[in-house]
Amino acid sequence: MGDQSRVVRPACVGAIVALFGLLLIASPLGAYEAITVKDGGTISGVVRFAGPPPKLGPIPVNKNRDVCGDEKPSEALVVGADRGVRDSVVLVEGVAKGKKGAGDVILDNRKCLFVSHVTAVAPGDRARVRNSDPILHNTHGFLGQPTVFNLALPTKDQMIDITKRLQKPGVVRVVCDAHPHMFAWMIVHDSPYVAVTDEGGAFRITDVPPGTYKITMWHAGFRPKGSDKDGRPVYDEPKTMTRELTIAPKATVTVEFELK
């Protein structure tokens, strides 16, 4: 079958879910099987913000200001040109067999921010934490309440491999125990069919085995709810939208999501 292209627009936003309520299969990542995908299709699209986005104030820095500065911009919601939303995550659910993951994910402590603010990890991906600053950072990841990793990185350019610690799908909330203004997210998916949107809100997922799937868009909460006891900013709960679509052999399907 030749190339096809169509657009799927979500009819409505799904319910706001609890912080770690992303619809992911809670099974070990090793359950996924990498195979050669024949006549795979492509899912591409964009996440846009509906209406005027909220204005998020900067986050004050309370330590190492000589290196970090006095404040940092909030990255809870970043809306670019044409209302495109950066750092949304798009996941294809229920793919048990497909392409091999080959990513090299680095969560970098750089200029007293986590770079990138949102990352996605899949089976076959290598994941590491790095400190690019000349000060101590303590990178602490939580899957719900349990700690997934808790790493002190006192030395500039220090790097620690965390691949084996990310074996359970879900949303990992990351903070720096030394700097309350720092926070990030790691999405651990059960297959390589996951993407994080770029500066324009765009994403592209290739080599999708033909079939019918649920496609979920996830974005962290972004409406301010004050600060916790340590001074960390608190936002509302994450948002998700889910659509069902069919990928024909060698077809391209375009999906547009609107975040509110």
Side-chain angles (χ1 to χ4, degrees), residues 20-59:
F20 299 97
L22 180 62
L23 299 177
L24 293 172
I25 300 172
S27 57
L29 293 182
Y32 177 79
E33 182 181 350
I35 63 171
T36 299
V37 178
K38 296 181 179 180
D39 298 328
T42 298
I43 301 171
S44 64
V46 65
V47 179
R48 291 191 174 93
F49 199 86
K55 295 182 179 180
L56 303 180
I59 303 172

Side-chain angles (χ1 to χ4, degrees), residues 4 10 33 99 123 131 169 191 213 231:
Q4 302 177 19
E33 182 181 350
K99 66 181 178 180
N131 181 10
S191 82
Y213 303 99

Side-chain angles (χ1 to χ4, degrees), residues 108-132:
D108 196 3
N109 295 263
R110 188 192 312 164
K111 296 182 179 179
C112 303
L113 290 172
F114 286 116
V115 181
S116 293
H117 182 67
V118 176
T119 54
V121 180
D125 291 345
R126 184 183 185 189
R128 292 174 287 173
V129 173
R130 178 170 63 198
N131 181 10
S132 293

Side-chain angles (χ1 to χ4, degrees), residues 27-111:
S27 57
L29 293 182
Y32 177 79
E33 182 181 350
I35 63 171
T36 299
V37 178
K38 296 181 179 180
D39 298 328
T42 298
I43 301 171
S44 64
V46 65
V47 179
R48 291 191 174 93
F49 199 86
K55 295 182 179 180
L56 303 180
I59 303 172
V61 174
N62 66 356
K63 189 177 182 180
N64 298 122
R65 290 178 180 169
D66 56 328
V67 174
C68 302
D70 293 330
E71 60 184 26
K72 291 293 183 181
S74 174
E75 297 181 286
L77 177 67
V78 180
V79 180
D82 198 24
R83 299 182 290 114
V85 180
R86 194 190 81 184
D87 289 335
S88 300
V89 183
V90 179
L91 310 99
V92 183
E93 300 185 39
V95 185
K97 297 180 181 181
K99 66 181 178 180
K100 180 180 179 181
D104 189 359
V105 177
I106 297 177
L107 180 61
D108 196 3
N109 295 263
R110 188 192 312 164
K111 296 182 179 179

